[in-house]
Amino acid sequence: MLNRKLLTPLVSDLVGNWLKRLPKPESPWDAYEQMLRHPVITTSISTRILNIAGMLGEYYHPTPEEGKKHKPSAYQIEVRKSIENMDGSFRVIVPNLLKGLVYGWSFCEVAHKVYKKAELLGMRVADVKYSYFESRNGNIEKLVITKPYEIKVDYNAGIHFTYQDYLNTEYTPYGNSLLRRAYPYYQLFQIVMAAVTIASQRQGTPFIYGKTDTAEETYILDSSGNPMLDENGLPKSIKRGYKMQQELEKAENSSAIVIDIMDELGVIEQQTDGKFFELVLKYLEGMMLLCFEIPRTVLGTGASASGDSNLNEGHRTTLEHFDLSVAKLVDELLIEKAIKPMLQYNHGDLDDYGSFLNIL
C-alpha cells in the first residue's frame, strides 16, 4: 500500500516531470500558430494589444504658440503631417510592434528622408519568424531578415522592443514570450478537452453489464429456437459467459438482446456529472489568461456570483496598470527612435520631444 508520507513528493515530481515531457514541436512557430487558433489565447492577445494601442493615440507636443494655449504647437503639426505622409499606416505599425508582448520581441525599421528638412519616410516591423540578430564583440549590429529575401538592417536604425527580458538570468534580445509561457497550459487544455469528449460519449452510452454462471453451459439455438446439433446428432453447447458476451455485443447496434432466465443485466451509472472537468477547464483557462497578465475575472468564465463585481473592477485596474507601463515603454521607444532625430535635425535640441500617450 502507498505510504501517505510519500504522496506529496511523488505528486510534486509528477507535476515537474509533466512540464518536461510535453511533446515539443519541431519549430516553436508551429506551436504558436496552433495556439493562436485558441479563443482564450486570441482574445487575450487582442485585449492587451488593442488596449495598449488605444492608450497610444496621436502625437502630442505640449508647447503651443505663445498666448494660444489651445492651439496645437508647430512641432505637433509638423510631426503629425510627417506621419500622415510616410509610407505605411502608423495605426498598423504600432499593433505589429506590440506583438513583442506575444513573441517576446519585435523590431521596427525606421527610415527618414531629408530634403530641406527631415521627415519620416516609412516604418516597417520585421517578421520575427524570419529574423535574427547579428552581433560582434557582444554588441548587436544588424537585424537579418531572411524572407522573402535576405536583408540586413542597421540595428541602430530601428526600434527593438523586448518584453520582460529583466526576468531572464542573462540578457537576451529575444525577451520573454508570453506564448511560450502559456504553452504547457494550452497543451493540457487540449488533453482535458479530449477527455471531456470521451466522457461525454460514455455519459450518453453507459456500460451494460451481465451476470451469469460462467462455469455452466447453455445450448446454441437456431433461428427457430431449437438446439443446433453437432455431427453426432447431439445438441451443441457453449459456456454461458461466452454466450452472454455475444449477446452484449449485439446490444451495441440493436439496443435489444435475448437472455436466459438465469441471466441478469444491468447498467453502471456514470460517476461524474461533468463538474469536475468544468472546474479543471476553468482553472486552465484562468492560467492561460494569467500567462498574458490578464486577471481571470476580466475575461474568464470563472466568476459566478454578483459578489465578484468589486473583484472584477480591481482586476481591471491591475490590467490597466500593466498596459500603461507597456504603453509608456513603447511611447519612449517611438519618440527616441522615430520623432526625436527628425525634430533635432529640423530644430536642434528641444526641452520636450512630445508623446503618443493620451495622458498629457
Side-chain angles (χ1 to χ4, degrees):
M1 186 173 180
L2 182 64
N3 187 339
R4 293 186 180 181
K5 292 182 179 179
L6 296 176
L7 185 58
T8 299
L10 284 175
V11 171
S12 298
D13 291 342
L14 176 64
V15 173
N17 289 331
W18 168 74
L19 294 174
K20 296 177 183 177
R21 295 180 182 181
L22 279 174
K24 296 181 179 179
E26 295 181 2
S27 165
W29 306 116
D30 296 336
Y32 290 168
E33 287 179 1
Q34 293 176 7
M35 292 174 69
L36 291 174
R37 298 187 185 100
H38 193 283
V40 173
I41 291 176
T42 302
T43 305
S44 300
I45 293 171
S46 297
T47 298
R48 295 296 311 278
I49 289 180
L50 294 178
N51 197 27
I52 296 169
M55 292 177 176
L56 293 167
E58 290 191 89
Y59 174 79
Y60 295 92
H61 196 284
T63 310
E65 293 181 16
E66 188 176 351
K68 298 180 180 179
K69 294 183 179 179
H70 299 291
K71 184 176 181 179
S73 69
Y75 303 128
Q76 181 172 308
I77 295 172
E78 177 183 327
V79 171
R80 287 191 181 184
K81 184 177 180 180
S82 180
I83 290 174
E84 290 173 1
N85 293 336
M86 78 175 188
D87 183 23
S89 170
F90 193 77
R91 294 186 181 276
V92 173
I93 291 166
V94 170
N96 283 333
L97 182 65
L98 287 169
K99 286 183 180 178
L101 282 167
V102 182
Y103 296 108
W105 69 281
S106 62
F107 188 91
C108 179
E109 180 185 3
V110 181
H112 295 90
K113 63 179 179 180
V114 178
Y115 179 72
K116 295 183 179 179
K117 65 176 183 178
E119 293 182 4
L120 277 170
L121 176 63
M123 300 172 68
R124 185 182 67 167
V125 180
D127 190 337
V128 296
K129 292 184 290 185
Y130 306 110
S131 306
Y132 66 91
F133 294 103
E134 196 175 79
S135 63
R136 179 180 296 177
N137 297 326
N139 296 317
I140 301 175
E141 290 190 344
K142 304 284 185 181
L143 174 79
V144 182
I145 302 172
T146 60
K147 198 172 181 179
Y149 39 81
E150 185 171 307
I151 301 175
K152 292 189 176 183
V153 180
D154 184 3
Y155 179 74
N156 293 321
I159 301 171
H160 181 197
F161 174 44
T162 58
Y163 192 61
Q164 290 191 334
D165 57 295
Y166 54 85
L167 292 180
N168 296 302
T169 53
E170 296 180 3
Y171 172 75
T172 168
Y174 299 101
N176 194 328
S177 169
L178 299 187
L179 279 176
R180 185 181 298 275
R181 183 192 299 178
Y183 180 70
Y185 301 102
Y186 163 78
Q187 284 289 82
L188 188 55
F189 192 95
Q190 307 308 309
I191 294 170
V192 175
M193 279 301 300
V196 170
T197 304
I198 296 171
S200 62
Q201 180 188 28
R202 188 55 66 190
Q203 193 80 12
T205 55
F207 287 104
I208 300 175
Y209 69 87
K211 291 182 179 180
T212 189
D213 187 347
T214 56
E216 190 176 329
E217 295 190 350
T218 183
Y219 292 125
I220 302 176
L221 305 179
D222 59 20
S223 58
S224 301
N226 300 315
M228 297 179 64
L229 303 178
D230 60 16
E231 63 273 7
N232 298 319
L234 299 175
K236 291 182 179 181
S237 64
I238 58 173
K239 293 288 185 181
R240 295 184 66 88
Y242 180 68
K243 177 65 175 177
M244 172 67 77
Q245 181 181 354
Q246 288 181 319
E247 293 294 334
L248 290 177
E249 287 175 353
K250 293 179 184 178
E252 195 70 36
N253 295 320
S254 64
S255 300
I257 58 175
V258 178
I259 62 173
D260 190 272
I261 194 172
M262 297 177 64
D263 297 331
E264 182 183 343
L265 291 181
V267 175
I268 300 177
E269 297 296 335
Q270 301 306 306
Q271 299 295 315
T272 176
D273 59 357
K275 289 185 179 179
F276 167 76
F277 291 107
E278 183 182 354
L279 291 173
V280 173
L281 290 173
K282 282 184 177 180
Y283 168 76
L284 292 173
E285 178 189 82
M287 291 305 298
M288 283 191 286
L289 289 172
L290 288 176
C291 286
F292 290 92
E293 296 165 356
I294 299 177
R296 63 186 68 190
T297 62
V298 174
L299 292 175
T301 56
S304 59
S306 60
D308 289 332
S309 58
N310 291 334
L311 179 64
N312 179 275
E313 184 179 352
H315 282 180
R316 285 183 180 275
T317 302
T318 301
L319 179 60
E320 288 178 5
H321 286 313
F322 273 127
D323 289 343
L324 182 58
S325 298
V326 177
K328 288 179 178 178
L329 175 61
V330 174
D331 173 71
E332 182 179 331
L333 291 170
L334 289 170
I335 296 298
E336 184 68 26
K337 292 292 186 177
I339 307 304
K340 183 178 177 180
M342 181 174 62
L343 291 179
Q344 278 185 324
Y345 184 90
N346 294 338
H347 306 286
D349 290 334
L350 302 177
D351 294 332
D352 196 306
Y353 293 95
S355 173
F356 287 96
L357 281 174
N358 289 328
I359 58 176
L360 290 178

